[in-house]
Amino acid sequence: MTDNASANAESADSGELRELYRELILDHARNPRHFGKLVPATHHASGINPLCGDKLELYLQVDGDRIRAAAFEGSGCAISVASASLLTETVTGLTTADASAWSNRLSASLVDAANDQDGEGLGKLRALKGVREFPSRVKCATLAWRALDAALDQNETPATTE
Ligand code: ZN
């Protein structure tokens, strides 16, 4: 796998960075942010990853074109919970268009290494990039973001990674 951009950025201390990201994932998995049902929510979507058994409900409170609040509940593996937690932190305060752009950027960078020209642009979400080495876990990481896309589209069909 070639990943020149991040290899250059991380060559000095890739081990430490990897450790840092692992800590970030574990922290969010153990203490998920914005966990619970959001009332009232203007947007909602379910997400299911049958391969791993991850399930979540994502809630948004959208005012005009801005996401005022985001929350989720559900259960799943550490990656899926951490990704959902990071999602709620990331999209709170963003416009819906910006939130969609984040979703696209993250999915592209996890699924397609060639598309990953801007690892820095992912901010904290770079922590999720470790899953790229484990294709089955990519679905765990993208589940919440698929639910976000569905919620923004006001699509009540559960988002699934299959
Ligand atoms: Zn999972």
Side-chain angles (χ1 to χ4, degrees):
M1 186 183 292
T2 55
D3 185 4
N4 292 329
S6 68
N8 289 339
E10 295 172 13
S11 59
D13 51 5
S14 62
E16 276 176 40
L17 275 181
R18 220 167 280 165
E19 183 65 18
L20 200 70
Y21 290 152
R22 204 174 64 91
E23 288 299 314
L24 186 75
I25 296 282
L26 288 176
D27 177 40
H28 277 266
R30 286 178 188 142
N31 308 295
R33 320 300 198 266
H34 310 283
F35 189 85
K37 195 170 183 172
L38 192 62
V39 182
T42 56
H43 294 59
H44 160 259
S46 308
I48 302 162
N49 175 13
L51 209 65
C52 179
D54 309 318
K55 288 182 201 163
L56 60 86
E57 304 289 323
L58 182 71
Y59 305 94
L60 303 174
Q61 204 180 95
V62 179
D63 177 16
D65 68 347
R66 200 160 288 276
I67 299 173
R68 297 291 176 196
F72 77 102
E73 57 186 4
S75 60
C77 67
I79 298 281
S80 71
V81 173
S83 184
S85 174
L86 284 161
L87 179 152
T88 59
E89 272 197 340
T90 301
V91 304
T92 300
L94 293 184
T95 63
T96 54
D98 282 347
S100 286
W102 273 98
S103 178
N104 291 337
R105 206 149 62 214
L106 179 74
S107 299
S109 117
L110 291 184
V111 176
D112 179 7
N115 215 332
D116 180 28
Q117 290 150 4
D118 187 18
E120 292 293 334
L122 288 174
K124 267 191 198 177
L125 299 180
R126 291 186 82 197
L128 295 169
K129 284 175 60 180
V131 303
R132 261 202 326 219
E133 292 163 39
F134 311 98
S136 65
R137 308 312 300 278
V138 168
K139 292 178 177 178
C140 303
T142 53
L143 177 64
W145 300 85
R146 297 217 170 188
L148 173 70
D149 295 338
L152 291 174
D153 287 345
Q154 307 218 292
N155 186 346
E156 285 294 326
T157 309
T160 169
T161 53
E162 293 306 302

